[in-house]
Amino acid sequence: MADQGTIGRIGGILKNTYGPKITEQQNLIAFTRNRYGKADNDFYRGPGDHFEWPARVGGNRASVAAAASDDPLLTPSRQKEVKFSSNDRSYTGNIKVFVGDMQAATGNNAASFISHKADEMTQLVKDITKVINIDLCAGDGSGTIGTIAAGATSATQTLAVGTGAFQYGSQYLQNGDVIDIYDATLTTSRTSGAGLSVSSITRSTGGPASIVLSGSVTTTTGDIVTRGPGRVNKAYTGFWGATHNQGITFQGQSTGTFPQLSSNRIPAGGQSLTESLLRQLQTVVTRASGEEIDEYLAGFAQYDEYESLGFAQKRFTEAKLDKGYTTLAFGDKMIVKDVDMPNSAVYGINKASVKFGEVSALGWQDDDGSILKQVPGFAAYSAYMIERGQMIYTNPNRIGVIDGLSFGSVYAQ
């Protein structure tokens, strides 16, 4: 960059120069998506609008009893089987690029300030993957990403931050996101399904977070914030929904009628994470299913909390002074972390029980013979991509959650 004296001497001769590439400012890490959201084609294959698979919910114990040599046989009965079912969902995204922008970038990409089509297309893949990652970490299939802390008629809305369900603050939002706001039953859109975009965000420092929207909206305390206009109940069912399935219909079956289909939940009630809670989660999963969880999934808040529990234990084991760990584990179970995990929860995952039923892989649509399609009336092109499938939990009683955990205000969003 030239100094002001040089600029003054040569005037308009000096031109702008641009860096060799865009420096990314977003956190686009999608760890959970890449770890658990991989297609298992041996288990699930399209086509169809939904998928079904058998689940055994009861045995033949009615025909089993102790007996003397002259006792009659018990009345014969059969095993009890039902069928799980899962409706397919999809994620879409689209781009719009102008011919002038593409021409300006062609052959001189490093000197071009405006993004060209290759960059737009590459980044859209990352954006879709990030949204899916958020839904897998914190979603229940409804698309919920937060709740309104205090109702108001205003473009400025406050978002609840805490240990309760969906009190995520603005953790899953950034400027430009389009959201909708629904009543607590997810039936009435406060924007009549049109949605509003996020203009600015004030992060939480221990209390509610606030967002400024593109227009005024009338809300009620406890209203639900969802992603996208009018897109309720169209997201993949994430770990939150899979571990909070007690007493509801889940994958086509009532977990009230068949409690053995329920996952395992330990409400922490606002206490801090302890090794005892992690052990309890492992125990209740094993007791319910006869299987063990393979690993724990935590956010930064609970990962750091668990790490702090080990500082005193680690102090005399080696000479390093940073007190850090390459990996964390409880017993022989690794604790992995994801930035999009809810601050107040830790999941216990049995990996074999978590499948991604892929119908069609994430990709650009070219059924009409081209990916880029001319926008009528404009010297511009559009393109869209889509992924179709659904998360499938073959044995929900082999996974679990500790929720309602406390966390420091530094983690609040």
Side-chain angles (χ1 to χ4, degrees):
M1 182 176 181
D3 62 78
Q4 291 299 313
T6 301
I7 293 175
R9 287 192 297 274
I10 64 177
I13 297 176
L14 201 65
K15 302 297 183 181
N16 288 337
T17 60
Y18 301 116
K21 65 177 182 178
I22 297 173
T23 55
E24 187 62 69
Q25 308 298 315
Q26 307 173 90
N27 185 336
L28 293 173
I29 294 173
F31 177 85
T32 296
R33 162 64 175 174
N34 295 327
R35 190 174 185 86
Y36 304 106
K38 297 179 180 178
D40 188 338
N41 291 326
D42 291 334
F43 177 76
Y44 183 98
R45 295 183 184 273
D49 65 346
H50 72 287
F51 179 70
E52 298 179 352
W53 67 100
R56 181 165 290 118
V57 296
N60 195 8
R61 296 187 185 183
S63 299
V64 178
S69 60
D70 56 351
D71 284 340
L73 295 176
L74 297 176
T75 303
S77 63
R78 299 186 62 184
Q79 303 286 325
K80 176 64 175 177
E81 292 92 11
V82 297
K83 62 180 179 182
F84 273 138
S85 64
S86 176
N87 291 312
D88 301 329
R89 306 286 180 90
S90 62
Y91 285 79
T92 62
N94 61 79
I95 62 169
K96 182 179 181 181
V97 289
F98 289 89
V99 172
D101 295 344
M102 289 190 291
Q103 291 175 337
T106 301
N108 196 20
N109 293 340
S112 301
F113 183 79
I114 299 173
S115 297
H116 50 81
K117 65 178 181 180
D119 180 72
E120 291 284 344
M121 297 172 81
T122 299
Q123 292 304 117
L124 183 61
V125 175
K126 295 180 180 180
D127 287 334
I128 292 179
T129 303
K130 182 64 172 180
V131 170
I132 294 174
N133 195 75
I134 291 171
D135 287 343
L136 293 187
C137 286
D140 63 350
S142 67
T144 300
I145 52 176
T147 56
I148 299 296
T153 300
S154 174
T156 301
Q157 297 289 329
T158 58
L159 302 175
V161 178
T163 61
F166 303 121
Q167 295 182 357
Y168 305 143
S170 58
Q171 180 177 354
Y172 303 127
L173 293 173
Q174 64 182 25
N175 289 2
D177 282 356
V178 176
I179 65 169
D180 208 343
I181 302 174
Y182 280 79
D183 71 313
T185 65
L186 286 172
T187 56
T188 302
S189 167
R190 304 305 191 192
T191 71
S192 299
L196 293 166
S197 61
V198 178
S199 301
S200 65
I201 298 173
T202 301
R203 304 292 185 184
S204 171
T205 55
S210 67
I211 54 175
V212 178
L213 302 173
S214 57
S216 180
V217 60
T218 300
T219 62
T220 299
T221 301
D223 278 358
I224 297 172
V225 180
T226 63
R227 189 181 304 280
R231 303 301 174 91
V232 169
N233 293 325
K234 297 181 179 179
Y236 292 160
T237 302
F239 286 131
W240 187 273
T243 56
H244 291 77
N245 71 342
Q246 298 81 19
I248 64 171
T249 298
F250 181 72
Q251 297 182 151
Q253 291 298 326
S254 169
T255 58
T257 303
F258 304 114
Q260 57 268 59
L261 299 181
S262 297
S263 64
N264 304 278
R265 180 186 173 211
I266 299 177
Q271 66 177 296
S272 299
L273 179 66
T274 63
E275 293 168 329
S276 175
L277 286 171
L278 293 173
R279 173 56 63 196
Q280 289 174 36
L281 184 60
Q282 179 71 265
T283 298
V284 296
V285 168
T286 303
R287 184 181 63 185
S289 68
E291 299 288 336
E292 292 190 348
I293 62 174
D294 298 310
E295 60 191 24
Y296 299 94
L297 180 60
F300 285 11
Q302 301 308 325
Y303 188 92
D304 292 352
E305 180 68 23
Y306 180 72
E307 184 180 36
S308 69
L309 295 175
F311 286 167
Q313 300 167 8
K314 182 179 189 298
R315 183 171 53 185
F316 300 110
T317 61
E318 59 180 69
K320 290 183 179 179
L321 300 179
D322 63 358
K323 297 195 298 185
Y325 294 84
T326 303
T327 59
L328 287 183
F330 177 66
D332 60 344
K333 312 301 180 185
M334 186 168 62
I335 298 178
V336 296
K337 63 180 175 180
D338 191 302
V339 66
D340 293 322
M341 272 286 297
N343 286 318
S344 59
V346 174
Y347 298 127
I349 308 296
N350 178 276
K351 292 187 289 186
S353 301
V354 179
K355 308 287 187 180
F356 175 55
E358 181 183 280
V359 177
S360 60
L362 182 63
W364 296 97
Q365 293 304 291
D366 58 355
D367 292 340
D368 60 355
S370 64
I371 292 177
L372 288 174
K373 302 164 180 63
Q374 195 259 330
V375 179
F378 293 89
Y381 290 88
S382 66
Y384 79 98
M385 65 188 320
I386 186 171
E387 177 181 275
R388 190 164 184 81
Q390 175 62 298
M391 295 301 297
I392 293 169
Y393 303 92
T394 60
N395 300 82
N397 61 357
R398 294 181 184 176
I399 59 177
V401 66
I402 307 167
D403 65 4
L405 292 163
S406 65
F407 56 90
S409 61
V410 66
Y411 300 100
Q413 297 292 316

